[in-house]
Structures are given as C-alpha cells and as structure tokens.
Amino acid sequence: MRRLTLTPRPDWQAKAEAVGFVYHHTEGQAYWDEGAAYAFTLKQVEEDLEPAAAELHDLCLDLVDEAAASQELMERLAIPAAHRDFVAASWRAKQPSLYGRFDFGYDGVSEPKLYEYNADTPTSVFEAATFQWLWLEELIASGTLPANADQFNSLFEALRDRFKVLFPTGGFVHFAGEAEAVEDRQTVRFFEDLATQAGVEPKFVAMDAIGVNQEGQFVDPDGYLLQAAFKLYPWEHMLREPYAAHLQTADVRWIEPPWKAILSNKGVLPLLWARHPGHPNLLEAYFEGDPAASNLGPHHVRKPLFSREGANVEILGGPEHLREPVLDQGYGAEGAILQAYHPPPDFDGKRPVVGAWIVGAEPAGIGVREDDSVVTKNLARFVPHVIEA
C-alpha cells in the first residue's frame, strides 16, 4: 500500500459537476482530492480487504439473528422498547438488505481492523462507485497510470443488479431523504438512477414531507401511499420520530430494513468482540461501564453509540498531542463504547481509512477517506485508489 502524489486534472471540477458530483467541496474545502491516490496490490485486496469484509458481514448477520431474539441485547443497542418487535419481525421475515460499508484501519501489512460498520445509511457511495472509476479510466487513457492499472470497484454494477434482485418485477418505489442537504439529495438521485436501470420507477419524497393518513399509512404530498421506500435517513432517528408509532402498522417495505437498526450503531463492536475475542479483524471493545474495559488500559477511544463523522469521539490517555478534541454534535445520550486505540496509518501526516463496501452479501469495492488527524471527521477527503499490477 502506497500513497501516490499526482497532478490533479485541470478540469476535474467541471467533470465532477457534469455527472452530478456537485458536493466535491465541503465548507470551502476540497472533499474530492485527486492530488493523491492510494495504491494497493492485488494480494492486499484479495487476501486482506475482501475476505475481511465478507467474514465480518457473516459475523454481523449471526449477531442480528441472536439480537432479534433478545430483549436484553436490543436494550444494550438502545433500540426503543416500543419498536423491538418491529425490528425483530423484519429479521424473521428475511427482509433483504441493499448495502453497507465497513471502515477499516489498514496499512497494507497488518490485518484490516474494524473501526465501525456503517450498516444503514452509508454515504460516499456515489463517488466510490462512479467518479473514482471515471478518474481511473481517464488517467489510464492519458498514460498517467499504466494500462494494466485496476480498481477494487464493482460497486455500480453490484448495486444496480441488487435492485433487480430486490424488485424483480420492477414497480414503483419511493426514494426518501433530506431535500436540502446537497450530498444526501445527490446520493439519493444516484440510487434513483440505479433503480431506473433495474426497471424500477422511482419517485423522490423529502423525509419531512411524508405524512400519515387516517388509516395510519405513510403518504407523500401527492397522496400516494409509501409501499416500498429507499430511505437515506437513519433508523435511530426514525424510531424516535413522532411518526414512529405508525411504523409497525404502515406496511412499508423499507430499504434498508428495520433489522439494520441492530447493526447501525457502535454497540455491535463490543458485542462482536465478546463473541469472537481475538478475531484478527476486530479491535478489543467494551460497553462503557463494563469492568472488563480495564483491559484496554488508560489509552483508548470512547465512541457514542450513534456518533457520525467522528462527532463526540474522544481519545483518552496517551500523549497529549494525540488527544482529539470532542467535535460536539450532541451524540452520547444513549451510551458509549470503549475501543482499543489503533490509529490509521501515517502517510506523511495523512491518515487514510479504507471503506469496504458490501452489496447484498458480497464485497463490492473500496473507497478511501483521508484526514489530517487520527479521527476521520466530516471534512475528511475522499482520495481515489488504484490496484497496481
């Protein structure tokens, strides 16, 4: 694994906007960064990253099977009591999943280590599936990269084909998200396009525009019932919204399904460790307050169950210069976990985290986010990757 220094294409921004990647800057800072790229060997992909994602996916499904039958585990995962039967029933009904993303600390030498599983609403999917592949094709064509360069990236085709499996006869599907959040809206548009290619008729609805009719069913502003819906809105929020009382009776087929609420918080990390201690792809982790957490020593990481983009993550103990300030976005009321300190590798001060994508049950590619600190935050850059022959 190497970090390459490259010259950005002079017209990359126009090319990004031409394909809908309009959020290439965040708060005035470049989010897409093609001044660098991470180079992997085929062996690193096929023997480290791909099998780690596949095995962890299987372990996570085993955990869901156990948690769906356990009120105690549902409580540990902060799933509201009123909706635990709803979540469990979706698992018993084998409601299918679309996708997820494992975030790994990986240096190309040691085993990939799981930081967290983005099982419900993972973003960076459009740039991983589409724009970094277009980048690769153009750099090969220009001779900047060799003709035999490749990418671990079947994400676009895998997602499109997964929609064909989820909706084999096509049909009408709502696509819901936050209309005013540019990245979210463009990500949902990406899924709408994939669904269209799979024979599905999509219709966008803003999350805050979904209503409830007299029969307790969800409807869009035009009065159409939500019967099947992809939503880029997390279950931990949905289960706590005023409309949550109608989730069980509204009879909507949700993508992602409700059982993803079991996996979409960091409580799965200590649960996985308890069931598979010493697993080469797991970091030692415990729920906060567990006496066994003393095994971590004073230098470890505290993560709220529902934190996103590094918010409210703390590095405790250790040298002062490594302690991360809390990016306070109000997370933590539902509890926290403690995890072994395992910083991302250091490439000249840049810290990459490898996101490994799962579509259905199969690994489908990677995307790399890079930060200047050991905690990957909302301003972390997306850096493309290449497989060297």
Side-chain angles (χ1 to χ4, degrees):
M1 180 178 175
R2 303 188 299 136
R3 187 181 191 273
L4 310 177
T5 300
L6 302 171
T7 301
R9 295 167 295 170
D11 56 351
W12 73 263
Q13 293 190 37
K15 289 178 176 176
E17 291 168 8
V19 296
F21 185 19
V22 297
Y23 51 94
H24 49 68
H25 279 69
T26 302
E27 298 181 17
Q29 299 184 38
Y31 165 60
W32 169 266
D33 181 6
E34 60 180 63
Y38 282 91
F40 299 86
T41 67
L42 187 60
K43 181 178 179 181
Q44 288 167 341
V45 170
E46 293 185 339
E47 297 185 14
D48 292 346
L49 293 167
E50 191 171 7
E55 182 168 353
L56 289 174
H57 177 73
D58 289 342
L59 298 185
C60 283
L61 294 187
D62 289 344
L63 179 58
V64 174
D65 194 51
E66 181 182 352
S70 170
Q71 291 290 319
E72 179 184 357
L73 288 179
M74 293 270 208
E75 183 176 3
R76 295 304 304 268
L77 294 168
I79 296 174
H83 306 300
R84 291 172 193 165
D85 289 344
F86 169 64
V87 170
S90 71
W91 174 253
R92 292 194 298 269
K94 302 185 186 307
Q95 294 181 10
S97 167
L98 176 61
Y99 75 134
R101 191 190 77 228
F102 293 103
D103 285 347
F104 289 130
Y106 181 64
D107 61 4
V109 179
S110 305
E111 294 276 1
K113 297 292 187 180
L114 179 65
Y115 288 138
E116 60 184 74
Y117 183 26
N118 296 273
D120 184 19
T121 57
T123 52
S124 79
V125 60
F126 171 69
E127 48 271 37
T130 300
F131 199 62
Q132 72 165 341
W133 181 260
L134 296 175
W135 165 89
L136 177 71
E137 289 185 322
E138 184 165 332
L139 265 62
I140 290 175
S142 69
T144 305
L145 292 175
N148 59 356
D150 202 357
Q151 231 172 55
F152 179 25
N153 194 356
S154 60
L155 189 52
F156 184 96
E157 295 81 5
L159 287 167
R160 180 196 59 204
D161 294 346
R162 184 63 177 167
F163 271 109
K164 295 178 182 178
V165 172
L166 296 177
F167 303 99
T169 60
F172 179 80
V173 178
H174 280 90
F175 284 74
E178 297 193 41
E180 303 304 317
V182 175
E183 180 179 357
D184 285 11
R185 182 65 190 98
Q186 293 303 100
T187 299
V188 174
R189 280 196 173 99
F190 170 62
F191 283 108
E192 291 175 53
D193 179 61
L194 288 166
T196 299
Q197 294 187 40
V200 170
E201 181 183 351
K203 183 184 182 186
F204 178 75
V205 57
M207 286 298 302
D208 60 5
I210 298 173
V212 181
N213 65 15
Q214 292 183 341
E215 289 74 34
Q217 299 167 299
F218 295 124
V219 293
D220 70 18
D222 298 320
Y224 288 95
L225 291 178
L226 270 70
Q227 296 177 305
F230 169 93
K231 48 89 188 167
L232 196 70
Y233 194 72
W235 276 112
E236 67 260 27
H237 293 343
M238 290 182 68
L239 296 177
R240 290 167 173 82
E241 295 281 10
Y243 57 70
H246 302 283
L247 285 168
Q248 189 154 351
T249 56
D251 196 26
V252 179
R253 180 187 175 187
W254 296 103
I255 304 295
E256 296 293 314
W259 59 262
K260 278 295 190 81
I262 294 173
L263 296 178
S264 63
N265 73 70
K266 295 173 185 62
V268 301
L269 300 171
L271 293 179
L272 287 171
W273 180 259
R275 284 151 183 78
H276 310 282
H279 189 285
N281 300 125
L282 294 175
L283 291 171
E284 190 170 1
Y286 304 92
F287 285 97
E288 190 170 45
D290 185 340
S294 62
N295 295 337
L296 297 173
H299 193 196
H300 57 270
V301 182
R302 181 184 185 273
K303 297 180 176 181
L305 292 185
F306 297 140
S307 172
R308 292 170 181 267
E309 300 283 12
N312 295 91
V313 171
E314 299 175 81
I315 296 177
L316 306 174
E320 183 69 31
H321 72 280
L322 289 179
R323 297 181 190 175
E324 281 288 319
V326 176
L327 177 63
D328 189 359
Q329 294 185 5
Y331 294 106
E334 291 78 22
I337 65 105
L338 305 178
Q339 187 181 52
Y341 179 65
H342 182 83
D346 186 342
F347 288 85
D348 296 324
K350 311 300 181 184
R351 301 279 190 165
V353 168
V354 179
W357 294 95
I358 289 283
V359 177
E362 300 297 327
I366 59 173
V368 181
R369 293 282 302 278
E370 180 186 82
D371 207 308
D372 298 329
S373 74
V374 294
V375 175
T376 306
K377 298 183 286 295
N378 63 319
L379 296 181
R381 301 168 295 277
F382 189 102
V383 180
H385 81 277
V386 61
I387 297 175
E388 295 181 312

